[in-house]
Structures are given as C-alpha cells and as structure tokens.
Amino acid sequence: VQLQASGGGSVQAGDSLRLSCAASERTFGSYTVAWFRQAPGKEREFVGAVRSGRTYYDDSVKGRFTISTENAKATVNLLMNSLKPEDTGVYYCGAGWPILSNIRSMSGYSYWGQGTQVTVSS
C-alpha cells in the first residue's frame, strides 16, 4: 500500500491543524494506521494509532489530538488542537499489522508516507 500524508503547515501555539493520510488501497481499514512524528535531532516517536476502530494516543497528545477514519476515502485523519511548540516536527503515517503490545513501535509498521512538516510557533 502507498501512503500520502498531507495537511502540515506553520501555525501559532493554540491553533489547530488536520493532517490526512490517504492510502492507495480500499482495504485500508484492515490495517492498523499510526501517526509518528520526528523533531529535529530527535528520534521518531509515536503520536497515535487506530486499530479496528479503537484509537490509542501518546500521553503528550491525549485530549488534544483525535484520529478519525474515512473508510470510503481510504483516509485516516489526525486532528490536532491546542498545538504547542513541542508538537513541531515532521509527521509520518504508517500502516501495518502490529501486535497490540507493539502498536507504539515503528517496527510494527511496514508502510510509510513521506511525511508532512508541522511547525508551531510560540
């Protein structure tokens, strides 16, 4: 499956952005889809994931970020509210079939989008 991430941009702290991850396959709903981000000089970190309709979030974004799916469009969205400067980074979507205990690990995902830049200014 090929993934296309979009929706990044430069915003002020407190603003919102919606990222989208579009897949090339209509069977996208059978995958676990996750969002990761990578800040300059740091390792890529887990943001959130959706698996069989259930969502999982890192504590740093819980309550501010929401993952939703549009199965008809083979798209997974990441709505980011109350953005903070520490949310800055390149956001990647990944797809795969990780076991539940591995859902927060990059190794659980076989397919990746190209990344979209999010910059939050204070």
Side-chain angles (χ1 to χ4, degrees):
V1 63
Q2 293 180 330
L3 306 177
Q4 179 76 34
S6 62
S10 296
V11 297
Q12 297 291 315
D15 286 349
S16 299
L17 273 178
R18 190 181 79 161
L19 307 184
S20 294
C21 179
S24 58
E25 295 182 5
R26 289 291 184 182
T27 57
F28 198 33
S30 67
Y31 293 82
T32 295
V33 177
W35 287 95
F36 285 74
R37 66 187 179 190
Q38 188 166 18
K42 295 188 177 181
E43 294 186 352
R44 197 173 298 188
E45 64 178 10
F46 175 80
V47 173
V50 56
R51 171 190 170 108
S52 300
R54 184 172 179 177
T55 53
Y56 305 81
Y57 299 99
D58 184 76
D59 287 345
S60 65
V61 306
K62 200 172 293 183
R64 299 188 297 123
F65 290 12
T66 304
I67 293 175
S68 62
T69 59
E70 297 182 69
N71 289 332
K73 296 181 180 180
T75 298
V76 173
N77 300 310
L78 177 67
L79 176 61
M80 305 184 294
N81 293 323
S82 302
L83 282 161
K84 304 175 181 180
E86 51 263 43
D87 294 318
T88 293
V90 179
Y91 283 68
Y92 299 88
C93 58
W97 301 277
I99 59 175
L100 189 56
S101 61
N102 206 34
I103 202 170
R104 299 168 186 268
S105 172
M106 288 179 55
S107 64
Y109 302 90
S110 301
Y111 307 99
W112 292 92
Q114 83 287 4
T116 184
Q117 176 71 45
V118 172
T119 303
V120 184
S121 302
S122 58

